[in-house]
Structures are given as C-alpha cells and as structure tokens.
C-alpha cells in the first residue's frame, strides 16, 4: 500500500494537490504494525515533507523489522515517473546511518538512471 511504503509515499508526493486530496478522501487504511500511520491528516503532513525533502524514510510501518528509504526518479521535464528505494532491517541507528551513508548514493543512482531514460519513456505520476 502506498500510504505505508517509501516508494508509495514518493509517488504520492508527486501527485498534484487535487489528486492527493482525492486520494486521501478515498483512503481505506489498514494497520500492518503498531507503527503504521493511518491518520489522513498525519499522512498529508508526511507526504508534504517528502515533497520538501526529496526523499522519505519509513520505519516498520509495513512489517516489523523492515525499514526503507526512497527517492523519486524524474523524466527530462522534471516530472516524477517512478521511485527508487532501499530496504533494510531495523536497528536503533538505521535511520541516521541510512540518511547519512546511503541517501547520497541513492540520489546519485537515481540521477544516473534519469540520465539514461529516453524522453517520454514513462508517464508522469498522476498524468
């Protein structure tokens, strides 16, 4: 489900405002773990943070012990067309290490993929 995964949240952050509003209005959530965010207002804030930060960290929301970090993949026009993520096991220092040590490489990899994508290869999210 997009609401509790890193790639899903990246794609949701790429939706136009009206598309996100519509998606949140029709949202039917399920709590997969005690950490799963199911409140639409809180999800909106998280998605807005993804838009601002250009990446997202999700910790044990889909499955206990699973964390993930994701960044958007953009087409040549700058529109988000996909997401790239890393999944890893949870440990107390996972978030800090992932954002400091892995996020720069994940962003570089996304940029390399973007350079290889043909023009108009994928339709923009919500497009």
């Amino acid at each position: 489900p997009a609401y509790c995964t890193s790639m899903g949240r990246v794609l949701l952050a790429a939706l136009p405002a009206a598309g996100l509003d519509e998606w949140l209005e029709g949202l039917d959530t399920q709590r997969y773990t005690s950490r799963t965010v199911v409140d639409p207002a809180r999800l909106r804030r998280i998605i807005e943070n993804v838009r601002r930060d250009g990446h997202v960290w999700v910790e044990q929301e889909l499955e206990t012990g699973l964390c993930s970090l994701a960044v958007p993949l953009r087409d040549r026009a700058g529109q988000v067309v996909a997401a790239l993520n890393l999944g890893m096991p949870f440990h107390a220092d996972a978030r800090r290490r992932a954002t400091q040590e892995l996020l720069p490489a994940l962003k570089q990899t996304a940029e390399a993929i973007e350079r290889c994508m043909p023009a108009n290869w994928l339709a923009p999210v919500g497009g």
Side-chain angles (χ1 to χ4, degrees), residues 2 52 56 61 78 91 97:
R52 180 195 68 217
V56 63
E61 291 192 47
H91 60 82
R97 290 195 65 194

Side-chain angles (χ1 to χ4, degrees), residues 57-76:
W57 170 260
V58 175
E59 187 171 294
Q60 303 188 88
E61 291 192 47
L62 181 62
E63 182 179 323
T64 300
L66 175 66
C67 301
S68 61
L69 179 67
V71 296
L73 288 175
R74 299 177 187 280
D75 65 12
R76 292 184 184 177

Side-chain angles (χ1 to χ4, degrees), residues 24 39-50 52:
L24 285 167
D39 175 60
R42 186 167 172 212
L43 284 168
R44 180 183 297 278
R45 287 191 302 275
I46 289 168
I47 292 165
E48 289 169 356
N49 289 342
V50 175
R52 180 195 68 217

Side-chain angles (χ1 to χ4, degrees), residues 1-5 9 12 23 27-30 32 36-38 43:
Y3 66 93
C4 63
T5 64
R9 288 181 180 172
L12 290 169
W23 184 84
L27 183 60
D28 182 22
T29 59
Q30 174 181 337
Y32 291 92
T36 307
V37 176
V38 295
L43 284 168

Side-chain angles (χ1 to χ4, degrees), residues 7-126:
M7 289 193 302
R9 288 181 180 172
V10 165
L11 298 176
L12 290 169
L15 289 173
L20 179 60
D21 291 343
E22 183 179 328
W23 184 84
L24 285 167
E25 287 172 13
L27 183 60
D28 182 22
T29 59
Q30 174 181 337
R31 193 175 289 280
Y32 291 92
T33 73
S34 63
R35 298 181 60 96
T36 307
V37 176
V38 295
D39 175 60
R42 186 167 172 212
L43 284 168
R44 180 183 297 278
R45 287 191 302 275
I46 289 168
I47 292 165
E48 289 169 356
N49 289 342
V50 175
R51 286 179 178 156
R52 180 195 68 217
D53 298 339
H55 69 275
V56 63
W57 170 260
V58 175
E59 187 171 294
Q60 303 188 88
E61 291 192 47
L62 181 62
E63 182 179 323
T64 300
L66 175 66
C67 301
S68 61
L69 179 67
V71 296
L73 288 175
R74 299 177 187 280
D75 65 12
R76 292 184 184 177
Q79 300 297 310
V80 174
V81 295
L84 182 65
N85 88 318
L86 295 170
M88 64 210 72
F90 171 78
H91 60 82
D93 202 25
R95 181 180 188 143
R96 183 195 64 78
R97 290 195 65 194
T99 54
Q100 287 183 357
E101 298 171 24
L102 300 175
L103 181 58
L106 190 62
K107 287 181 175 181
Q108 288 176 348
T109 302
E111 291 168 1
I113 292 170
E114 290 169 351
R115 286 191 300 273
C116 295
M117 280 194 299
N120 301 318
W121 185 63
L122 296 170
V125 174

